[in-house]
């Protein structure tokens, strides 16, 4: 067996859609991008979608659209992909690290409240691994302190919080279509918002601050998506719900079949529709192997795994704020103990059974 941790699902439809764009001669931004923006926004139930060339650009542009800059603080979870924090640094602002919930691994609202200072301008919540964060709690905090809420939904296309799609709860929803995500364009991203003024500002920011051809009214970037990427995105969006259902079925299979002492399976909180961008288990002291031994064992059996993420952001050399185990201790503990198993939509029943059997034999 050779089971990779991720397998992009690209079919003939995507190949034909890209070929059409190539044949049309319109390789940069054109009608496909506009169509993808409309369709993705409709899917998320938001009024606007602004396409960009990756998820990091989506976060950076969203923060710039609400004038986050030098002297400002933005509260972010310490346990996430680096871009959640580095997008804040790109604005010249300071990421303030907050710990995550011990069971769901998403941002801990109580700690968010403790981190607020007069300099706080925004909070980025991450729908981590495909499970929404506690949206209402963060919305309340933002409303009572007049802060902006950014949803980092890079890993959660189609996830639901109390029955509603993520991406429309905050002032902005920021998505990534990187090649391993639940839907993909190779590299790509989208910002969703319900505010016309924000959408207009975002359009300037992602296109050189250009209000008319060669007239630049503010500092902007080249964060544009191409029609080639959008053509893939339009097709992928049609398949997203089906892929997410398969991810959920694979996760259910693991939930019902994995059983080793010290192996903690994902916890899904009430009201969350988890789309399992990753199926993340945790190894406690009772687990018969150390994490690196377990990874090696699975590798020899042809099973790919990954650690998301081995270093919590506050300990990254980029920030290196604290090696104090009492600072964001849950994030530190998770970084030492999590492991992602394959959960992608192309897994078949035989592969799932083989993975469970291989894991359950660990002694
Ligand atoms: C939580 C999170 N935020 C942001 C990003 C950044 O997206 P991209 O890689 O498209 O720049 C990612 C992508 O891996 C992510 O997982």
């Amino acid at each position: 067996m050779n089971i990779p941790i991720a397998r992009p699902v690209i079919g003939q439809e995507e190949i034909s859609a890209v070929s059409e764009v190539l044949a049309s001669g319109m390789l940069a931004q054109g009608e496909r991008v506009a169509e993808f923006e409309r369709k993705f926004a409709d899917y998320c139930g938001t009024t606007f979608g602004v396409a960009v060339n990756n998820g990091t650009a989506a976060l950076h542009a969203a923060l710039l659209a609400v004038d986050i800059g030098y002297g400002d603080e933005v509260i972010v979870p310490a346990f996430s992909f680096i871009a959640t924090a580095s997008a804040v640094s790109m604005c010249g602002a300071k990421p303030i690290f907050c710990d995550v919930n011990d069971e769901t691994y998403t941002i801990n609202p109580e700690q968010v409240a403790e981190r607020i200072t007069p300099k706080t301008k925004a909070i980025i919540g991450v729908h981590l691994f495909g499970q929404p964060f506690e949206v209402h709690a963060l919305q309340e905090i933002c409303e009572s302190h007049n802060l902006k809420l950014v949803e980092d939904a890079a890993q959660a296309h189609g996830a639901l919080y109390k029955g509603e799609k993520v991406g429309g709860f905050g002032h902005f929803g920021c998505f990534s279509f990187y090649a391993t995500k639940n839907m993909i364009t190779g590299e790509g991203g989208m910002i969703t918002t319900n505010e016309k003024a924000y959408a207009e500002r975002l359009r300037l920011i992602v296109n050189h601050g250009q209000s008319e051809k060669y007239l630049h009214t503010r500092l902007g970037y080249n964060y544009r998506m191409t029609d080639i990427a959008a053509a893939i995105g339009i097709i992928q969006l049609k398949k997203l719900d089906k892929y997410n259902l398969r991810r959920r079925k694979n996760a259910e299979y693991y939930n019902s079949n994995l059983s080793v002492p010290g192996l903690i399976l994902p916890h899904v909180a009430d009201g969350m529709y988890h789309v399992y961008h990753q199926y993340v288990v945790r190894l406690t002291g009772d687990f018969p192997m150390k994490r690196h031994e377990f990874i090696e064992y699975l590798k020899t059996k042809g099973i790919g795994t990954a650690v998301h993420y081995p270093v919590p952001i506050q300990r990254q050399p980029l920030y290196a704020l604290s090696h104090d185990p009492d600072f964001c201790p849950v994030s530190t503990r998770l970084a030492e103990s999590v492991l992602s198993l394959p959960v992608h939509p192309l897994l078949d029943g035989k592969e799932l059974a083989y993975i469970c059997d291989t894991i359950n034999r660990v002694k």
Side-chain angles (χ1 to χ4, degrees):
M1 287 265 186
N2 179 18
I3 310 172
I5 178 75
R7 263 188 211 138
V9 202
I10 288 290
Q12 190 51 48
E13 261 193 292
E14 283 87 342
I15 294 169
S16 305
V18 169
S19 300
E20 261 178 50
V21 174
L22 294 178
S24 78
M26 180 64 232
L27 301 191
Q29 190 162 104
E31 281 170 19
R32 297 296 158 95
V33 170
E35 180 186 344
F36 184 35
E37 288 179 335
R38 270 194 317 275
K39 289 187 166 162
F40 193 81
D42 279 353
Y43 177 84
C44 293
T46 60
T47 321
F48 303 97
V50 178
V52 286
N53 52 0
N54 59 67
T56 311
L59 288 165
H60 186 204
L63 295 170
L64 291 173
V66 285
D67 297 322
I68 304 287
Y70 290 95
D72 295 332
E73 293 180 352
V74 177
I75 299 172
V76 302
F79 191 61
S80 181
F81 180 62
I82 188 74
T84 308
S86 62
V88 176
S89 305
M90 287 175 202
C91 301
K94 190 172 172 191
I96 301 294
F97 298 102
C98 171
D99 215 351
V100 295
N101 181 295
D102 203 13
E103 289 190 321
T104 58
Y105 316 154
T106 54
I107 192 162
N108 178 336
E110 279 166 30
Q111 249 197 37
V112 168
E114 290 166 12
R115 297 277 198 267
I116 292 171
T117 74
K119 293 181 178 172
T120 311
K121 279 274 192 73
I123 299 169
I124 305 180
V126 181
H127 302 304
L128 195 70
F129 303 141
Q131 170 156 227
F133 60 80
E134 290 175 59
V135 170
H136 284 166
L138 285 206
Q139 279 178 324
E140 271 172 31
I141 293 171
C142 286
E143 272 161 33
S144 62
H145 292 84
N146 195 22
L147 306 174
K148 304 299 180 203
L149 178 60
V150 177
E151 291 174 68
D152 182 338
Q155 305 184 354
H157 326 69
L160 307 178
Y161 174 79
K162 296 192 193 282
E164 279 180 58
K165 296 248 171 62
V166 301
F169 293 107
H171 296 85
F172 304 98
C174 297
F175 292 83
S176 163
F177 306 121
Y178 177 69
T180 58
K181 296 291 195 276
N182 291 38
M183 63 171 281
I184 64 181
T185 62
E187 295 275 7
M190 186 80 74
I191 309 148
T192 48
T193 184
N194 287 312
E195 293 274 338
K196 188 161 183 249
Y198 290 156
E200 285 169 357
R201 233 177 274 171
L202 285 168
R203 292 203 184 284
L204 288 178
I205 292 165
V206 305
N207 188 21
H208 294 296
Q210 182 171 267
S211 55
E212 293 169 34
K213 196 154 176 76
Y214 300 132
L215 188 71
H216 304 274
T217 53
R218 64 169 290 161
L219 180 63
Y221 298 81
N222 178 356
Y223 282 167
R224 295 183 305 257
M225 177 179 273
T226 63
D227 261 22
I228 301 171
I232 303 172
I234 291 164
I235 308 290
Q236 288 269 310
L237 183 60
K238 287 197 282 185
K239 303 177 178 173
L240 175 63
D241 287 340
K242 187 174 80 184
Y243 292 160
N244 280 344
L245 277 174
R246 281 201 212 153
R247 286 175 182 272
R248 286 172 56 84
K249 253 181 94 184
N250 295 343
E252 271 168 35
Y253 188 91
Y254 283 140
N255 292 342
S256 319
N257 289 282
L258 284 177
S259 170
V260 182
L263 187 74
I264 300 180
L265 306 182
H267 173 80
V268 183
D270 281 352
M272 309 295 185
Y273 183 86
H274 196 320
V275 292
Y276 292 98
H277 170 55
Q278 300 293 351
Y279 185 90
V280 177
V281 297
R282 218 170 125 189
L283 314 186
T284 67
D286 297 337
F287 191 76
M289 283 180 181
K290 297 269 179 250
R291 183 173 66 182
H292 68 273
E293 294 166 342
F294 186 46
I295 292 170
E296 211 38 53
Y297 163 73
L298 292 175
K299 198 169 152 195
T300 62
K301 302 288 180 191
I303 300 169
T305 59
V307 176
H308 301 107
Y309 297 94
V311 182
I313 306 180
Q314 88 278 5
R315 289 192 180 204
Q316 290 288 349
L318 167 64
Y319 294 113
L321 286 178
S322 173
H323 288 264
D324 174 356
D326 292 332
F327 184 72
C328 298
V330 179
S331 299
T332 302
R333 216 173 331 121
L334 289 174
E336 288 163 359
S337 59
V338 288
L339 188 67
S340 305
L341 303 178
V343 73
H344 56 77
L346 291 181
L347 282 174
D348 63 30
K350 250 165 90 181
E351 288 173 320
L352 284 166
Y354 173 75
I355 295 170
C356 289
D357 187 50
T358 307
I359 293 176
N360 288 340
R361 282 169 195 269
V362 169
K363 290 205 184 67

